[in-house]
Amino acid sequence: MAQQEDVFKKIVSHAKEYGFVFQSSEIYDGLAAVYDYGQNGVELKNNIKRYWWDAMTLLHENIVGIDSAIFMHPTIWKASGHVDAFNDPLIDNRDSKKRYRADVLIEEQLAKYDEKIEKEVAKAAKRFGESFDEALYRQTNPRVCDHVARRDALHERFAKAMNDNDLEELKQIILDEGIVCPISGTKNWTDVRQFNLMFKTEMGSTADGSMTVYLRPETAQGIFVNYLNVQKTGRMRLPFGIAQIGKAFRNEIVARQFIFRMREFEQMEMQFFVRPGEELKWFDQWKQWRLAWHKALGLGDEKYRFHDHDKLAHYANAATDIEFKMPFGFKEVEGVHSRTNFDLSQHEKFSGKNIKYFDPELNESYVPYVIETSIGVDRMFLSVLCSSYEEQALPNGETRVVLHLPEALAPVKCAVMPLVKKDGLPDKAREIVNDLKFDFATHYDEKDSIGKRYRRQDAIGTPFCITVDHQTLEDNTVTLRERDSMEQTRVNVADLHRLIHGRVSLNALLRKLG
Ligand code: GAP
């Protein structure tokens, strides 16, 4: 685990050193849990967003996009339940004066039991070798059985406390489990309190009678309140979806792990409107479609798992997380939620407007049910970055740091390099750049040794380096170096476009999804 934490630290400094992610307001000592994306980060982020947007709007003829405002009428947040129920249970340690989310402390305790179980199993597997029967060992080994029983009991108690909103019980669990503050090491805890996560601000001058508005904590409500506008103007029929990418804001108290939990972040959300009674069928379908979208990137199928919710949000009748194996464990990257007709019904009630859908096939009107897929751009970015980072020992004794980014997501697709800065090689290299730049993000680099230039491109995940040498001037061929294998092949300049396009285009990725 400590080793994984070291790797994570390296990834965070790499992200800064190579222009992916900077701490916001850094020269003023930073603003906690707020980050800026640099020159490479913004390209990677845009490519992730494009992949999502195209997968939604190009591959599904019944999904369209919108871009709604961040500010919305404050009653929307009353109707959605966010004013009353968008809370985190917080607990303070009196000695360290540090504040924690009570639910997160307990989840970490659950993860500790899991770690103990896996350690026992791994030890036994080593001891017994080939003859090891893992399933039997898990069922019969007394130590494993004891850990499993404790974990299951804790899990059940925790789920009940969360469902009942029982803050006293959450504190009692923390005390009974002997959970200590990681800073002070003590169990000197305060009571658990609820804390609303929405940021408030004022709209209009006080003289006019200003109004308290919220920075939206999710983009979804912008979709709900526009659903009928889109349905009518787009002549959409159920089932249909509305997709949106945009900023969301949450006053996260425990903001940790770099861009995993931020106060300002970006979401890619899609609400899929369906007939009542059909929602669970669509929920299963969207679970599969969304997992396929992740897996098509080739980051490793074993890095994903579903985690079904024990505590359903106030609006849901089924919910699951798609978790990704980060260096700090399996963590939620995306949620798929069956939100029933809760939000639309609430907006109908609070606005007093009829927002029912008229179903021409059934010849009746009803409030549609909704399946939501909601993914954080920044978490997706983090999962791509973490799984792509590698420190590779080379046969010549050197180490290279390489980002094996999915080629379609890489910020720069190819770098063109004259072998030397003379003999007309830079001119030829520029000529190639000037041709490729219309289709691919292309870098020109003539500084330092060719080895150093390769390393620089490896570090930002550029899939191809094109080297122009003296032979190029004779036969119009260049070397095409591949990032992952470092293999170099001699190819004709005329073939570059086709070769690169076949590998880096989003099209190839989208085709995997059918
Ligand atoms: N509309 C439903 C909704 O917002 P959520 O599970 O609260 O559901 C959806 O958030 C996704 O947004 C999460 O899976 C995560 O990827 C991202 N997200 C939520 N809070 C975040 C935060 N503080 N920082 C970064 N990403 C966050």
Side-chain angles (χ1 to χ4, degrees):
M1 204 63 184
Q3 210 183 354
Q4 287 295 294
E5 276 165 23
D6 285 350
V7 172
F8 189 55
K9 274 191 197 147
K10 284 184 183 171
I11 292 170
V12 174
S13 25
H14 188 85
K16 180 180 174 195
E17 192 181 339
Y18 286 92
F20 283 89
V21 183
F22 306 127
Q23 173 70 61
S24 158
S25 323
E26 196 185 350
I27 59 168
Y28 290 94
D29 297 332
L31 186 65
V34 186
Y35 292 90
D36 299 336
Y37 286 83
Q39 67 281 14
N40 288 316
V42 69
E43 299 293 346
L44 173 55
K45 199 176 180 214
N46 283 342
N47 291 339
I48 291 172
K49 290 195 271 186
R50 172 56 59 194
Y51 174 43
W52 184 86
W53 188 263
D54 286 356
M56 286 293 173
T57 63
L58 299 185
L59 303 189
H60 299 272
E61 59 186 53
N62 56 351
I63 297 182
V64 292
I66 62 162
D67 182 16
S68 70
I70 288 172
F71 289 132
M72 292 193 275
H73 195 285
T75 309
I76 287 175
W77 304 110
K78 191 78 191 146
S80 68
H82 284 81
V83 170
D84 297 321
F86 194 53
N87 300 322
D88 273 348
L90 297 183
I91 190 165
D92 291 46
N93 183 272
R94 291 197 186 91
D95 299 321
S96 67
K97 311 266 183 279
K98 288 276 171 204
R99 184 162 286 176
Y100 300 90
R101 268 175 61 178
D103 55 333
V104 171
L105 287 178
I106 299 172
E107 275 165 10
E108 284 170 356
Q109 181 73 359
L110 281 165
K112 277 188 191 150
Y113 284 116
D114 283 331
E115 264 170 46
K116 282 184 191 162
I117 296 163
E118 295 316 313
K119 251 193 202 153
E120 292 287 350
V121 173
K123 251 186 357 207
K126 214 168 164 192
R127 206 166 55 236
F128 294 116
E130 291 275 290
S131 62
F132 183 53
D133 182 340
E134 185 179 322
L136 186 68
Y137 186 80
R138 282 182 188 272
Q139 276 165 23
T140 53
N141 178 273
R143 270 193 310 274
V144 172
C145 292
D146 182 49
H147 293 319
V148 170
R150 281 164 185 262
R151 184 203 53 196
D152 289 352
L154 172 59
H155 192 252
E156 199 176 314
R157 203 175 154 197
F158 172 51
K160 184 167 179 341
M162 290 295 281
N163 266 323
D164 297 347
N165 236 334
D166 188 342
L167 303 183
E168 273 175 37
E169 172 69 350
L170 283 178
K171 178 174 180 184
Q172 200 52 50
I173 294 174
I174 289 173
L175 295 177
D176 292 350
E177 287 289 322
I179 296 174
V180 296
C181 164
I183 309 284
S184 66
T186 71
K187 298 175 207 158
N188 194 3
W189 297 110
T190 62
D191 288 341
V192 179
R193 287 167 301 119
Q194 293 287 24
F195 179 85
N196 193 285
L197 296 178
M198 283 197 296
F199 284 101
K200 275 185 200 165
T201 187
E202 299 292 317
M203 185 176 266
S205 73
T206 356
D208 296 333
S210 70
M211 169 160 74
T212 298
V213 290
Y214 300 95
L215 296 188
R216 66 181 177 196
E218 62 171 15
T219 62
Q221 297 303 325
I223 296 179
F224 288 125
V225 296
N226 277 299
Y227 119 89
L228 212 53
N229 285 337
V230 173
Q231 189 270 319
K232 290 207 163 126
T233 56
R235 301 158 63 85
M236 314 291 289
R237 286 200 173 183
L238 249 58
F240 73 90
I242 303 178
Q244 167 157 237
I245 299 179
K247 290 272 185 161
F249 305 83
R250 295 182 189 177
N251 195 3
E252 301 279 3
I253 292 307
V254 185
R256 270 182 309 170
Q257 281 144 345
F258 192 37
I259 55 172
F260 182 78
R261 198 175 297 287
M262 302 155 88
R263 296 201 165 106
E264 174 180 342
F265 58 101
E266 210 165 352
Q267 288 186 316
M268 306 189 280
E269 297 201 293
M270 193 280 304
Q271 313 292 323
F272 199 70
F273 300 90
V274 304
R275 274 188 188 155
E278 293 188 356
E279 71 276 12
L280 293 180
K281 176 187 87 181
W282 283 110
F283 173 71
D284 286 337
Q285 177 66 77
W286 275 106
K287 271 175 75 171
Q288 300 318 321
W289 278 340
R290 292 305 305 147
L291 190 63
W293 180 90
H294 285 276
K295 286 187 173 174
L297 287 170
L299 302 178
D301 288 4
E302 73 292 349
K303 295 200 173 112
Y304 300 92
R305 71 179 188 195
F306 285 119
H307 172 248
D308 295 332
H309 287 204
D310 290 318
K311 184 191 182 214
L312 290 174
H314 55 276
Y315 48 72
N317 71 358
T320 198
D321 295 336
I322 297 177
E323 294 188 337
F324 186 82
K325 195 167 185 215
M326 303 276 190
F328 42 91
F330 271 98
K331 296 286 168 193
E332 173 193 344
V333 170
E334 171 158 9
V336 182
H337 312 126
S338 174
R339 286 179 84 130
T340 68
N341 62 358
F342 173 83
D343 302 83
L344 292 180
S345 302
Q346 287 290 98
H347 290 309
E348 189 164 56
K349 191 167 124 196
F350 278 74
S351 68
K353 307 270 167 29
N354 174 6
I355 53 172
K356 290 190 179 57
Y357 168 78
F358 175 71
D359 189 327
E361 280 167 44
L362 300 181
N363 200 23
E364 65 178 78
S365 294
Y366 52 79
V367 178
Y369 272 49
V370 174
I371 303 302
E372 162 182 80
T373 72
S374 174
I375 170 170
V377 181
D378 314 88
R379 281 197 194 172
M380 186 61 205
F381 183 104
L382 187 60
S383 67
V384 170
L385 194 66
C386 289
S387 54
S388 301
Y389 180 91
E390 191 192 10
E391 278 178 22
Q392 218 175 39
L394 300 179
N396 66 3
E398 285 179 17
T399 317
R400 73 163 181 155
V401 176
V402 54
L403 289 186
H404 301 284
L405 295 173
E407 290 159 345
L409 301 187
V412 178
K413 304 301 186 210
C414 50
V416 186
M417 311 168 171
L419 187 62
V420 288
K421 251 196 283 183
K422 55 183 185 184
D423 305 336
L425 300 190
D427 291 342
K428 181 66 188 171
R430 286 268 180 214
E431 193 186 304
I432 296 172
V433 171
N434 285 335
D435 182 43
L436 295 178
K437 72 180 181 190
F438 293 100
D439 293 296
F440 313 113
T442 309
H443 267 191
Y444 172 82
D445 192 1
E446 60 176 25
K447 223 166 146 237
D448 299 321
S449 72
I450 198 80
K452 270 197 183 159
R453 283 182 265 170
Y454 285 156
R455 293 289 166 275
R456 272 205 290 272
Q457 296 301 329
D458 289 342
I460 63 167
T462 306
F464 295 106
C465 289
I466 298 160
T467 307
V468 172
D469 55 21
H470 292 94
Q471 193 183 328
T472 312
L473 303 181
E474 287 161 23
D475 63 4
N476 209 34
T477 63
V478 287
T479 56
L480 186 64
R481 174 189 180 270
E482 219 256 333
R483 176 195 68 198
D484 296 340
S485 64
M486 292 189 287
E487 255 172 40
Q488 300 189 20
T489 38
R490 194 100 212 155
V491 303
N492 200 292
V493 170
D495 292 331
L496 280 175
H497 191 280
R498 179 180 52 81
L499 292 169
I500 297 171
H501 180 79
R503 293 276 293 274
V504 307
S505 87
L506 208 49
N507 183 313
L509 198 52
L510 291 169
R511 276 180 191 278
K512 287 193 196 171
L513 305 177

